[in-house]
Amino acid sequence: MRKFLRYTLPVFILITAMLLSNASCGNTSLKPTKAITNSDDTGNKYSYQDYAGMGAEEITASMTLEDKAAQMVQGAVYMVSGSDMEKFDYGSILSTTGTSLKANEWLNKIIGYQQSALLSHAQIPFIYGQDSVHGVNYSSGTVIFPHNINIGAANDPDLTYKMGLAVADEIKLTGMLWNFAPCLAVSRDPRWGRTYESYSSDYTVVSDLGAKYIRGLTEAGVLACPKHFFGDGMVEYGTGEGDYLIDRGNATLTDVQIKQQLSAYQAAIAAGARSVMISFSSVNGVRMSENYHYITEVLKGEMGFTGFVVSDWEAIHQLTGSDTIKGQVVIAVNSGIDMLMEPEKYEECRKAIIDSVNEGKITKERLNDAVTRIIRVKLEMGLFDDPYMENIKTVQKNTGSQEYRDLAGKLQEESMVLVKNENAVLPLAKGTTLMIIGPAADSLAAQCGGWTISWMGAQDAQIIGGTSILSGFRKIAKEYNLKILTDPSQMSQADAVILCVGESPYAEWNGDTADLLLTGKLGLAGNREAIDAAASSGLPTIALIVAGRNVIIDKEIDQWDAVVQCYLPGSEGGGAANVLVGKSVFSGTLPMPWYSSVDSIDKGDAWLQAGFGLKY
Ligand code: BGC
């Protein structure tokens, strides 16, 4: 049911809405050419252009309670219509659909909503948010960078900063200026379905790379949103919400561990982060979305964060203190959450804020603080001066440029970790005949993983451009005099097997696993057959693992002469071939420990420690 609501239903509603509201999508002739003036309840006249020169406090002071409450909610694109925006002027809209519009289609769609927002009573420009967690998501033809776990394996701060600039550049071409990234989870247990969204199990690496990426996004004019504040990666197995194994569970943390987690957010703030998303999970038994101490006293107080705080997707409905929407809104807002990510209940939440202020359950000071923070960030983003994003400069004219593909490819090559190389089977000698098999050999979808085109990942055909591992080998075959075979019936002609196995794409709790096995529920279909074919060939076998984490391979490891952990390389995964022939070097190291059984997780007896990586 959850999946239906988040995936199938949104696609259906979005397509229907686009067909019905075509007139307002991308029709820039609707743009107001002069100030449209509305009057508020006190008879004051104003228009968005009259806000020129005003500060966030002043603008907030000029707004009605109704207008303020609307700024504090964010609805989903598949629910909010242009006429809703004209009526209420919601503070933000977000994407989570399986529809991959092209960059200019997104831009036109967002301009259409902005036209509506600026015809509203408040005329406050809205901001569009989405999860471009490894390149622009939900859009076709963009460069899909390796996931954060790869970025941690590469651990190249300069390239991470450049990735921030590049992703921001492609984001600006779509108009979705608010990016819910980076994830600053410090990963503890690979059974968590969001392990690949984490840079590392080392909080200093998370802090450093997160800050570099944020600096890139921010300098290019995109609003970063480090998430999920905090402790999301530290949750314990078995504490997951409902029937989830681990996702959204509880982290039992010492004061020292809490300081370590917070240090990544302090670095993010210093790097320019102006929004922060609160975690679904709990720390020491208290849900973060109702944690007044950490949101208000620590983040906004001690840490000096003056941007705004957003809740996670419908997170407030999991709060323990109330089972009514109004009660949940009161708890969340009074804990310090400024904007509620409410894909479907945004209007109910808006009304709940209004009623709660009228009833004195949310003070006017808290209301004004929340709205001022949101307006302040919108002012800083230049949205009041340039709501239609006409003056935004981009380096590239289109998404999917060769320059950004090369950058993604470089990060991908740097992120490959060589964990076993017996008899120096790698680098591959010139003139080798290779049998390349396994379900990850020619699958852009497997290489990209979750949060690609749609929440749960893409279909191969939806990823435009890019190179698979197999096509990467084909590209260099002539130069290295390689003969490439893919039909296992020709096994006897080969000198070595390149066995490409991995996990199916997943996101969030859908990736929680009890066994971490390649041949388990989350393994790619065909892993078992390919592993067996390689084993029975008697040939030297080089296993390439395309997975969101260090899966358990204790049963297979002795059959393999070399093992390369590729994690989730993104659309440019074909660069693996360059490293395997020695055209590029191996420089990646494990960002997290590699366990040989689930029983040894987090017990200090990993098979390989974080930082391990063979070189040549
Ligand atoms: C995830 C967030 C994401 C949000 C919006 C939530 O389910 O936890 O990481 O930003 O959805 O898609």
Side-chain angles (χ1 to χ4, degrees):
M1 189 61 180
R2 261 175 208 279
K3 194 170 164 195
F4 174 73
L5 286 175
R6 186 151 186 179
Y7 188 76
T8 316
L9 180 64
V11 176
F12 174 74
I13 299 179
L14 182 69
I15 292 170
T16 314
M18 282 177 65
L19 291 173
L20 292 175
S21 67
N22 215 13
S24 72
C25 290
N27 183 348
T28 43
S29 65
L30 285 183
K31 192 185 296 180
T33 49
K34 61 183 173 62
I36 291 176
T37 308
N38 289 320
S39 68
D40 70 11
D41 299 344
T42 60
N44 290 330
K45 302 269 185 194
Y46 61 92
S47 79
Y48 89 92
Q49 288 161 345
D50 292 340
Y51 292 132
M54 286 167 74
E57 282 84 1
E58 267 181 287
I59 295 176
T60 305
S62 76
M63 294 164 67
T64 63
L65 170 58
E66 285 72 15
D67 293 339
K68 291 176 187 174
Q71 284 302 303
M72 293 173 65
V73 297
Q74 177 186 53
V77 66
Y78 61 84
M79 294 292 290
V80 181
S81 68
S83 57
D84 291 339
M85 275 307 262
E86 191 170 332
K87 200 158 165 202
F88 299 111
D89 195 5
Y90 298 116
S92 179
I93 298 178
L94 87 158
S95 321
T96 57
T97 72
T99 304
S100 50
L101 302 182
K102 293 196 188 93
N104 66 323
E105 292 170 332
W106 272 119
L107 184 62
N108 286 338
K109 187 169 180 63
I110 291 166
I111 288 173
Y113 276 120
Q114 197 68 291
Q115 289 163 351
S116 304
L118 297 187
L119 288 167
S120 70
H121 181 259
Q123 300 195 13
I124 303 290
F126 90 109
I127 186 162
Y128 197 96
Q130 82 148 353
D131 300 276
S132 290
V133 300
H134 65 143
V136 179
N137 194 8
Y138 307 122
S139 184
S140 67
T142 61
V143 179
I144 305 299
F145 282 76
H147 265 294
N148 282 354
I149 194 166
N150 293 69
I151 305 303
N155 200 0
D156 184 331
D158 184 48
L159 284 194
T160 308
Y161 162 72
K162 289 187 173 136
M163 173 180 167
L165 290 175
V167 172
D169 203 45
E170 294 214 335
I171 284 176
K172 287 190 288 183
L173 290 162
T174 67
M176 308 191 261
L177 295 186
W178 182 13
N179 186 6
F180 305 136
C183 175
L184 296 182
V186 177
S187 171
R188 174 189 239 167
D189 188 327
R191 289 172 292 188
W192 186 38
R194 306 193 77 160
T195 301
Y196 66 82
E197 293 186 60
S198 164
Y199 290 113
S200 175
S201 56
D202 178 342
Y203 73 94
T204 63
V205 175
V206 172
S207 173
D208 191 23
L209 296 179
K212 290 289 184 308
Y213 182 69
I214 289 169
R215 195 163 289 292
L217 287 181
T218 310
E219 281 180 14
V222 163
L223 178 60
C225 187
K227 64 187 188 183
H228 311 81
F229 183 84
F230 64 88
D232 50 348
M234 300 291 284
V235 291
E236 287 128 60
Y237 186 82
T239 67
E241 187 183 288
D243 54 2
Y244 309 160
L245 298 176
I246 187 164
D247 195 37
R248 306 180 179 188
N250 178 59
T252 307
L253 301 178
T254 63
D255 288 351
V256 172
Q257 287 172 316
I258 289 175
K259 270 203 179 129
Q260 293 174 345
Q261 301 289 311
L262 292 175
S263 68
Y265 285 88
Q266 195 73 70
I269 295 168
R274 303 296 286 141
S275 70
V276 167
M277 190 186 296
I278 303 302
S279 181
F280 270 111
S281 55
S282 305
V283 168
N284 296 338
V286 182
R287 283 194 184 266
M288 289 311 296
S289 306
E290 57 191 342
N291 207 321
Y292 174 82
H293 173 60
Y294 282 112
I295 302 175
T296 299
E297 295 180 334
V298 176
L299 178 66
K300 293 181 171 177
E302 290 165 27
M303 294 169 69
F305 178 64
T306 56
F308 71 94
V309 166
V310 64
S311 53
D312 202 345
W313 176 279
E314 296 178 340
I316 67 165
H317 307 305
Q318 265 81 45
L319 297 185
T320 51
S322 173
D323 51 15
T324 67
I325 292 201
K326 197 154 136 197
Q328 292 158 348
V329 165
V330 169
I331 295 169
V333 172
N334 285 341
S335 299
I337 292 176
D338 303 307
M339 186 184 279
L340 303 168
M341 185 187 288
E342 284 295 326
E344 293 171 19
K345 299 205 172 81
Y346 47 94
E347 182 48 24
E348 280 163 271
C349 289
R350 187 188 71 92
K351 287 195 186 124
I353 295 171
I354 296 169
D355 290 349
S356 306
V357 172
N358 284 331
E359 290 160 15
K361 292 184 178 130
I362 295 174
T363 64
K364 291 208 167 104
E365 290 69 31
R366 175 76 269 272
L367 171 86
N368 288 336
D369 172 50
V371 177
T372 305
R373 285 169 177 271
I374 295 164
I375 303 282
R376 183 185 296 138
V377 174
K378 290 183 173 180
L379 279 169
E380 291 168 0
M381 296 283 296
L383 281 169
F384 282 79
D385 297 329
D386 186 20
Y388 299 113
M389 301 175 278
E390 288 161 316
N391 301 321
I392 285 184
K393 304 263 176 302
T394 55
V395 177
Q396 305 292 335
K397 285 203 174 56
N398 298 303
T399 54
S401 67
Q402 194 54 50
E403 185 180 335
Y404 296 158
R405 289 195 186 282
D406 291 346
L407 175 63
K410 177 112 182 53
L411 272 162
Q412 122 74 0
E413 287 184 17
E414 286 190 9
S415 71
M416 291 173 61
V417 188
L418 180 61
V419 295
K420 178 177 177 185
N421 192 17
E422 259 176 24
N423 311 318
V425 65
L426 290 176
L428 296 166
K430 281 193 171 174
T432 307
T433 299
L434 295 172
M435 174 60 67
I436 304 183
I437 55 168
D442 198 18
S443 171
L444 290 174
Q447 280 174 207
C448 291
W451 299 106
T452 307
I453 305 288
S454 79
W455 177 51
M456 289 286 283
Q459 304 295 317
D460 281 329
Q462 291 177 304
I463 302 166
I464 316 289
T467 49
S468 68
I469 294 172
L470 178 62
S471 53
F473 272 105
R474 290 203 162 119
K475 265 192 181 169
I476 59 162
K478 200 161 167 220
E479 186 183 350
Y480 283 82
N481 191 23
L482 300 173
K483 188 162 175 211
I484 313 281
L485 304 174
T486 56
D487 177 356
S489 70
Q490 297 176 303
M491 194 68 94
S492 60
Q493 296 172 34
D495 301 317
V497 179
I498 306 284
L499 171 67
C500 305
V501 285
E503 288 185 303
S504 305
Y506 52 76
E508 302 193 46
W509 64 91
N510 297 291
D512 284 1
T513 168
D515 59 30
L516 273 172
L517 293 176
L518 283 172
T519 49
K521 199 170 81 187
L522 292 171
L524 285 165
N527 278 346
R528 173 82 276 156
E529 293 74 6
I531 290 170
D532 291 347
S536 57
S537 73
L539 294 171
T541 296
I542 296 127
L544 265 54
I545 298 175
V546 178
R549 49 195 154 194
N550 297 329
V551 286
I552 288 174
I553 52 172
D554 63 325
K555 298 267 182 316
E556 294 89 10
I557 185 80
D558 292 338
Q559 303 166 13
W560 299 338
D561 300 86
V563 178
V564 179
Q565 174 57 284
C566 302
Y567 294 116
L568 297 171
S571 56
E572 311 313 305
N578 296 337
V579 186
L580 264 59
V581 297
K583 190 172 183 168
S584 305
V585 295
F586 270 106
S587 60
T589 56
L590 294 179
M592 300 164 193
W594 199 325
Y595 299 101
S596 54
S597 80
V598 289
D599 299 329
S600 52
I601 291 173
D602 209 18
K603 305 246 166 54
D605 64 344
W607 165 45
L608 299 169
Q609 294 299 336
F612 180 84
L614 302 172
K615 310 268 180 282
Y616 64 62

